[in-house]
Amino acid sequence: MPAAVAALTRLRPRLAAAGLGLGLAHVGEPGLCPAGPAEASAAATMTPGRRREFLAGRQAARRALRAVGVDCGEIPREGRLPVFAPGRSASISHSAGIAVAVARAPGEHAPLGCDLELRPLPCDAARLVLAPDEEPLLGTPATAGGGPWSLTGLFSAKEAAWKALHLVPGRAGTASMRTLRDLRAEPYGDVLHIGPRIDPHVGPRIAPSSRPRNASRAGQSYGVRVRVRVLPVGAGVFSYAVGWADADGRSTPEPTARRS
């Protein structure tokens, strides 16, 4: 476990260069406790193991926010989602007793989402993560001379994108997101561009000329897409949103979807 924490800590300068504050916590560290009555009420309904994970995640989020110069008290929840005070937001993930969070400074409009996976996914989980048109990605190099895309990496990237997309104002296209198979991942160099598969009869439609070249579904359209980077962390991976992508795969400062 310390090795995974050390590997994540080494990512701090890289994340800072991307405008992200990093926060880490461990379920075994002393002093984990609720920061207020809302956290205490939520924790009281949990099993001991889940309670430690929950409190570690809140601690990691507060540390990430402090890294971008923002103090934060308790972080209540709505359903399973953390609820932050105005001007504060972070993305939290847990794996194997480690909690990690990323945060951006107030006023930043880049996407915010992260995911940590320290336990590799079994191969038979592919059908739960990838649609048939994505399965050829498995084992293909991420970049020339780079490592191959793994199922764990693709799962983690989609998890990070899912979180980022749910923070989009108006949640464009997220109504179509019921499972990870409702997101489509496409490689662009060393990052993945990930967005919802939108029913052309009910959601924003992307002009046919702007759809990914290897799209295989007739009538498939794509809305807002997130650029996600996947980095190795020991035997696992850490994924985080690095920006938005427009319908042609270019980086864009705002979440956009081209309509036909």
Side-chain angles (χ1 to χ4, degrees):
M1 210 60 63
V5 172
L8 287 164
T9 300
R10 286 194 293 270
L11 298 179
R12 198 181 300 275
R14 182 170 190 165
L15 294 171
L20 292 169
L22 175 70
L24 298 171
H26 189 276
V27 295
E29 70 179 67
L32 287 180
C33 60
E39 286 187 12
S41 177
T45 66
M46 300 174 182
T47 63
R50 173 67 184 114
R51 185 180 306 123
R52 299 289 295 182
E53 185 180 72
F54 170 79
L55 294 174
R58 265 40 185 186
Q59 185 69 277
R62 282 186 278 273
R63 290 170 178 169
L65 285 161
R66 283 199 293 270
V68 293
V70 181
D71 287 326
C72 183
E74 71 169 341
I75 304 168
R77 64 177 185 168
E78 182 179 322
R80 295 178 59 87
L81 298 176
V83 178
F84 293 91
R88 294 159 176 78
S89 61
S91 177
I92 305 170
S93 185
H94 318 83
S95 183
I98 295 175
V100 61
V102 295
R104 290 193 185 277
E108 294 290 332
H109 301 295
L112 187 61
C114 74
D115 184 74
L116 177 66
E117 301 295 333
L118 297 177
R119 299 185 179 100
L121 267 66
C123 293
D124 59 4
R127 61 185 178 82
L128 304 176
V129 180
L130 305 176
D133 61 345
E134 297 172 302
E135 291 176 0
L137 283 176
L138 288 173
T140 61
T143 57
W149 295 112
S150 68
L151 178 59
T152 305
L154 293 169
F155 171 83
S156 181
K158 283 193 172 188
E159 283 283 333
W162 184 290
K163 295 172 185 178
L165 288 164
H166 272 280
L167 292 176
V168 179
R171 295 188 176 184
T174 58
S176 66
M177 291 163 45
R178 296 175 297 276
T179 73
L180 291 182
R181 286 167 55 92
D182 295 321
L183 292 175
R184 186 177 191 280
E186 184 181 21
Y188 278 80
D190 62 349
V191 299
L192 290 163
H193 289 185
I194 303 175
R197 299 172 184 270
I198 300 171
D199 184 332
H201 300 295
V202 299
R205 181 162 183 152
I206 306 304
S209 61
S210 301
R211 295 178 192 153
R213 290 185 297 275
N214 58 347
S216 61
R217 285 190 180 183
Q220 181 69 64
S221 56
Y222 299 87
V224 173
R225 291 197 290 169
V226 183
R227 300 171 62 237
V228 179
R229 176 160 282 117
V230 183
L231 300 175
V233 175
V237 296
F238 174 68
S239 300
Y240 64 100
V242 294
W244 302 111
D246 69 12
D248 296 311
R250 296 183 297 260
S251 176
T252 176
E254 298 289 343
T256 61
R258 180 178 296 174
R259 299 173 185 266
S260 57

